[in-house]
Amino acid sequence: MSMRNWNLVKASVAGILCWAFLGTGLLATPTASAQEFIDEDTTPDLPEVPRVKREKIHDTNLLLIVVDGLRADHLGTYGYDRPTSPAIDALAKEGVVFERAYMAAANPIPALTSLLTSTWSCEHGMLNAKSQLARARFPITQRYHEAGLNPLLLTSSVYSYAVPPIGRAFKETVVGAPINGQSVDDVLTKQAQRPFLLMIHKTETSVPHLSAPEHTAGFKDVPQAVRDELAARLAQLAPKKKAGGRSDESDDKTPATGLEDIAAECVELYDSSVRLVDDHVASIIAALKEQGEWDNTLVVLTSDHGFGLGEHGEWYRGDGPYDELIHVPLIIRFPQSKFAGKRVSETVCQTDLLPTLNAALKLKGATANYNVRGRDLMPLVKGQELPGADDFMVTTIRMNPRKLITPAQRARGHVSVVAFYGPWKGIWHREPGTLELYNLDDDPGEQNDVAESNPELTLAMKAFARLWRADCSDKAPMRIRQRPQMKRLNR
């Protein structure tokens, strides 16, 4: 690193530390007992939604497909070399592929809520099925229903409709499996109002040992006995009961057994389940074409989390902050296939989806963008630069509100914040006060932590992550809208 850039880094670090100290007193080490995950204080109240003339969507449908547990790197359009996703790959060629998209939370319920509200889990408060959505956090379903879209839901997951007020906004809800082209044809025939917002939540890839077909062309068969063994051992991977609000030594002595000896079978089952979902996506697209709705439908395909196949000791869902679990596909196909073939390499977050859809649907008023945290990504879609491209940015927060015991809790604590600076990915763990640092250009598998060899960047990321977390609560809109400026390091 040149002396000039080293001085820039030192100046940036000093600025962030000074900002943190003067603004929030963050130099004191936070602990789980001293700082709650969600501030329960109800004052001051958030401002009400601005009373302005409601904008209307007149001629564009919105199809939002959320595939539970779908890894980006197991799709052909993201570079996978197995035949898991011909239909999704074809969809990607008609649309825009975001190569580095990240879920906003490391667990399904808060991640899905962040996706639909463009807010963070430390704001919206939906940390588990018993939570209540914080005030003034308005999901896509509610916003677009008010804008004239007929909200419909097809799901095989209770979580996509049981979360109030997200579920209440749907005019028609169909729960069951499989969700395919026939399901779409049935609901669109029954609900004739146009334009529509159709959300589809599929779960096959989150439970591949249950959903993968007995035989899938191009993949090895996995005997039922192995599937049963896998199911039994997965039960042992469940987090242990909470232990008095902190990691307890006795609970920590029961680590997960792992699935390394049947890892190959896990991959076969997972890839087979991806292909099953892909077949369903193909039939859904065919149904929309048959209904005459395809050309004027904006399609989003994404996931609420990834899937662990043994990397970093994570199996199945997990709550790790590594790419196999938080890097998700994000494909947006615009009406008339506008921007077809565009690929965006910049790092983005699922909180960016709502403001991007608002821009694509030409909703620019105060109501449409009220209290959103994400960025409008349409400049990137159009080949332009996004303001703040040289800033630090947070993509993901991992929270363990019930303080459940997992083998990784002693090293990670109960809160982690994932921040990016160009290709550099930092993972700050609050309770131990540590930061892992990876250069994803050189180390996409996150196997070589280079924090010690990059002390200036490590210190800057730590300070930024701590300030960001301290500023994120459900009490008031976040002050950190634009991240602190810092010129790029020589890499």
Side-chain angles (χ1 to χ4, degrees), residues 120-310:
W120 302 99
S121 53
C122 40
E123 298 176 293
H124 60 61
M126 285 302 310
L127 302 182
N128 54 55
K130 296 181 180 180
S131 303
Q132 293 293 320
L133 193 68
R135 300 176 310 280
R137 312 299 176 191
F138 299 105
I140 285 175
T141 47
Q142 182 178 347
R143 292 172 191 259
Y144 288 175
H145 188 193
E146 294 174 354
L149 295 186
N150 184 21
L152 313 169
L153 173 65
L154 300 176
T155 180
S156 49
S157 170
V158 296
Y159 296 129
S160 54
Y161 71 91
V163 177
I166 294 173
R168 292 199 299 266
F170 291 106
K171 186 174 180 180
E172 177 85 10
T173 297
V174 179
V175 183
I179 304 299
N180 53 26
Q182 185 62 56
S183 311
V184 170
D185 187 69
D186 290 344
V187 74
L188 292 184
T189 299
K190 180 179 179 181
Q191 291 286 340
Q193 180 185 334
R194 302 291 187 270
F196 60 77
L197 185 168
L198 175 58
M199 178 176 170
I200 295 175
H201 191 179
K202 297 187 62 59
T203 60
E204 289 86 350
T205 43
S206 67
V207 285
H209 61 292
L210 301 178
S211 63
E214 183 177 345
H215 175 74
T216 303
F219 303 95
K220 295 180 180 178
D221 296 341
V222 177
Q224 186 60 47
V226 175
R227 298 177 188 231
D228 294 341
E229 170 68 12
L230 176 57
R233 291 168 64 177
L234 281 172
Q236 301 175 16
L237 297 178
K240 306 300 182 222
K241 64 180 180 180
K242 62 183 179 180
R246 65 175 185 272
S247 295
D248 183 84
E249 193 70 30
S250 61
D251 282 335
D252 230 15
K253 289 182 178 177
T254 359
T257 56
L259 303 171
E260 289 79 7
D261 59 318
I262 53 173
E265 287 83 355
C266 289
V267 172
E268 292 298 330
L269 289 170
Y270 182 74
D271 285 350
S272 180
S273 70
V274 174
R275 182 55 186 262
L276 176 63
V277 166
D278 188 80
D279 291 343
H280 292 168
V281 169
S283 70
I284 289 167
I285 293 173
L288 287 172
K289 291 180 177 179
E290 182 68 23
Q291 289 265 351
E293 303 289 354
W294 179 247
D295 288 342
N296 63 322
T297 297
L298 192 159
V299 182
V300 178
L301 187 143
T302 189
S303 176
D304 60 350
H305 60 84
F307 194 87
L309 290 169

Side-chain angles (χ1 to χ4, degrees), residues 403-476:
K403 300 179 177 63
L404 296 173
I405 305 302
T406 67
Q409 289 305 327
R410 190 163 299 284
R412 297 176 188 162
H414 300 296
V415 173
S416 303
V417 174
V418 178
F420 277 85
Y421 178 63
W424 297 92
K425 176 182 177 181
I427 307 171
W428 174 67
H429 304 297
R430 188 181 71 178
E431 283 80 12
T434 57
L435 184 125
E436 301 175 50
L437 183 66
Y438 303 96
N439 186 320
L440 296 187
D441 282 352
D442 301 332
D443 179 24
E446 300 166 274
Q447 298 298 312
N448 182 27
D449 182 357
V450 294
E452 289 188 6
S453 58
N454 294 272
E456 296 90 359
L457 181 56
T458 298
L459 183 59
M461 275 199 168
K462 273 188 179 181
F464 171 68
R466 292 172 68 179
L467 175 61
W468 185 93
R469 175 61 189 99
D471 204 43
C472 181
S473 76
D474 68 344
K475 284 185 178 182

Side-chain angles (χ1 to χ4, degrees), residues 52 104 125 229 339 391:
V52 297
E229 170 68 12
F339 310 113
D391 296 347

